[in-house]
Amino acid sequence: MKTDVANRLIWYRGEVLPVNDAKINILAPTAQFGLNVFEGIPCYWNDQQGQLYAFRLSDHYDRLLRSARLLQIACPYDRQAMEEALRAAVTANEYEENLSVRQTLFVDGFGSWGSDGPVDMFVAPIPRGQTSAEYNRQGLHACVTSWRRISETTLSPRIKCGANYINSRAGQREALRNGYDTCLFLNDAGKVAEGPGSCLFMVSKGTLVTPMLTDSVLESITRDTVLQLARANGIPVAERTVDRTELYACDEAFLCGSAMEIRPVLSVDRYPVGSGAEGPVTQRLHRAYLDAATGRDPAFGHWVTPIYK
C-alpha cells in the first residue's frame, strides 16, 4: 500500500489525487440530500497469482446505471471509462490486499433535491479491514429493529442511493444502543426483509432460504452469488416470504453483502441461532464465495476482472 487510509489516492473528476484534495460544494444536492447513487465493489487479492480481482464488476455497473436511471440522473461516463477510473484509483495506491471500492455518481452544483445535474463521479478504494465494525466481526448478534424497511411505496430499496441508507442508520443505531452488533428489518407487511446494507439467509430443515426481491430488499449481487453457489454445490434453495419467528427457530443464519461478504448471525433477539456458532452450510458457502471472488474457482472465472495488467 502506497499511502495510509487517511491520505490515500482517489479518482475524482478525471484525475487521481489525494483524498483530502477532493472537494465537493457544501451546498450541492449530494451533500445536502444524499442525491447520489453508488456501488461498493469488492476486490480480492490472490497471493499465488499476484493479482487483484474485481468481483462481478459488470454486474455492479449494471446496478449503478439502473440506480441512476431510477433516480433520474444521467451518468456522464461509459463503462470503459468507469472501469478505467476504478483501475487508476486502485493501482495508484499499489494495493495488494482485499478492498472495498466505492464508486459514486453524485449531483453537484447549487441545485436542490429536485435537481438532475450536474453529475460527476469519484472512486475511493479502502482496505476491507478499515470498513465498518459489523463488516469485520466473525459472528453477529442481531435484533429485529422497531424501524420498518423502506418499500416501493416510500423510497425503493431497489435504488442504491445515499439517501436510502438513513433507513439503515436508524435501525443500526437502535441495535447498537441496545447492545447488539446489527439489526434485521421487517417490511411494511411485517415480514423479514434484510439487514442494514446486507441481505439475509437462513437454513431451515436443510434448505437455504432468503426473502424474495419483492419483500423490500436490495437487488443484491452478493445475494445472487450465494444463490448460484448454493445451487452449484447441491444445496436446496428457496426464495420466499419469511416470518419473524422463523429466525428464532432456524438452524443457521447469515448476512451477506459486498462489504460484509458472508457473516454468520449467532443470535436474533437473544435467541441463539442453531448451536449459537457458525453452521456448516454458512462455512461451506463462505469458502465457495472466497474461491470464486479470488479467481481460484475456474467455474466462476467469468465473475472476476484482473486489475493489474
Side-chain angles (χ1 to χ4, degrees):
M1 182 172 62
K2 189 173 182 178
T3 59
D4 61 30
V5 170
N7 297 287
R8 67 190 186 277
L9 301 171
I10 72 168
W11 188 98
Y12 177 65
R13 296 183 188 273
E15 61 178 324
V16 174
L17 72 168
V19 63
N20 296 300
D21 294 339
K23 308 296 183 183
I24 292 177
N25 170 21
I26 194 66
L27 296 179
T30 189
Q32 292 200 81
F33 310 110
L35 187 47
N36 58 65
V37 295
F38 70 94
E39 287 295 318
I41 300 169
C43 295
Y44 287 86
W45 176 251
N46 185 313
D47 197 47
Q48 286 72 36
Q49 299 176 17
Q51 182 60 266
L52 185 71
Y53 289 109
F55 188 55
R56 299 192 65 171
L57 186 60
S58 179
D59 294 310
H60 280 282
Y61 288 155
D62 284 345
R63 188 171 62 183
L64 181 65
L65 294 172
R66 184 165 61 248
S67 292
R69 178 184 179 184
L70 292 172
L71 205 59
Q72 299 180 50
I73 62 175
C75 177
Y77 301 94
D78 62 22
R79 286 171 175 268
Q80 181 179 347
M82 289 193 292
E83 183 174 336
E84 288 174 353
L86 181 144
R87 195 183 304 276
V90 171
T91 58
N93 289 281
E94 301 177 2
Y95 283 121
E96 295 183 355
E97 59 187 298
N98 298 344
L99 306 172
S100 181
V101 182
R102 177 63 59 87
Q103 192 149 5
T104 298
L105 299 171
F106 63 91
V107 179
D108 204 352
F110 287 93
S112 71
W113 48 265
S115 300
D116 61 1
V119 179
D120 218 301
M121 181 173 72
F122 70 80
V123 185
I126 186 170
R128 281 190 167 272
Q130 302 291 324
T131 55
S132 299
E134 67 269 21
Y135 296 158
N136 291 291
R137 294 186 185 278
Q138 296 306 305
L140 298 167
H141 296 280
C143 66
V144 176
T145 177
S146 63
W147 296 93
R148 292 297 173 99
R149 188 69 177 129
I150 52 175
S151 70
E152 283 292 316
T153 58
T154 54
L155 185 58
S156 174
R158 182 169 285 109
I159 306 172
K160 193 172 176 67
C161 67
N164 275 1
Y165 280 76
I166 297 302
N167 178 233
S168 294
R169 174 184 170 84
Q172 181 67 11
R173 295 303 303 178
E174 180 183 57
L176 294 175
R177 284 196 309 272
N178 292 322
Y180 297 93
D181 299 319
T182 193
C183 70
L184 301 172
F185 286 91
L186 304 181
N187 59 26
D188 283 343
K191 303 300 183 180
V192 176
E194 60 183 355
S198 52
C199 285
L200 174 77
F201 282 84
M202 69 178 187
V203 179
S204 180
K205 299 178 181 178
T207 298
L208 185 68
V209 180
T210 192
M212 297 184 294
L213 289 177
T214 50
D215 282 331
S216 296
V217 305
L218 175 72
E219 290 185 351
S220 164
I221 293 166
T222 313
R223 175 186 179 276
D224 178 70
T225 298
V226 170
L227 288 170
Q228 291 197 49
L229 290 173
R231 293 183 179 112
N233 282 272
I235 300 170
V237 299
E239 299 177 68
R240 63 168 176 79
T241 296
V242 175
D243 288 325
R244 176 177 183 167
T245 51
E246 290 187 82
L247 300 175
Y248 304 152
C250 66
D251 302 311
E252 299 179 41
F254 62 84
L255 290 171
C256 69
S258 295
M260 182 169 283
E261 287 182 358
I262 294 174
R263 297 282 178 240
V265 175
L266 307 181
S267 69
V268 179
D269 290 341
R270 309 299 185 198
Y271 286 87
V273 173
S275 66
E278 183 178 20
V281 175
T282 304
Q283 291 177 342
R284 184 179 176 189
L285 287 170
H286 197 185
R287 286 194 300 268
Y289 173 87
L290 292 175
D291 285 343
T294 55
R296 294 196 298 262
D297 187 344
F300 296 99
H302 59 287
W303 278 349
V304 295
T305 301
I307 295 299
Y308 292 109
K309 294 183 178 179

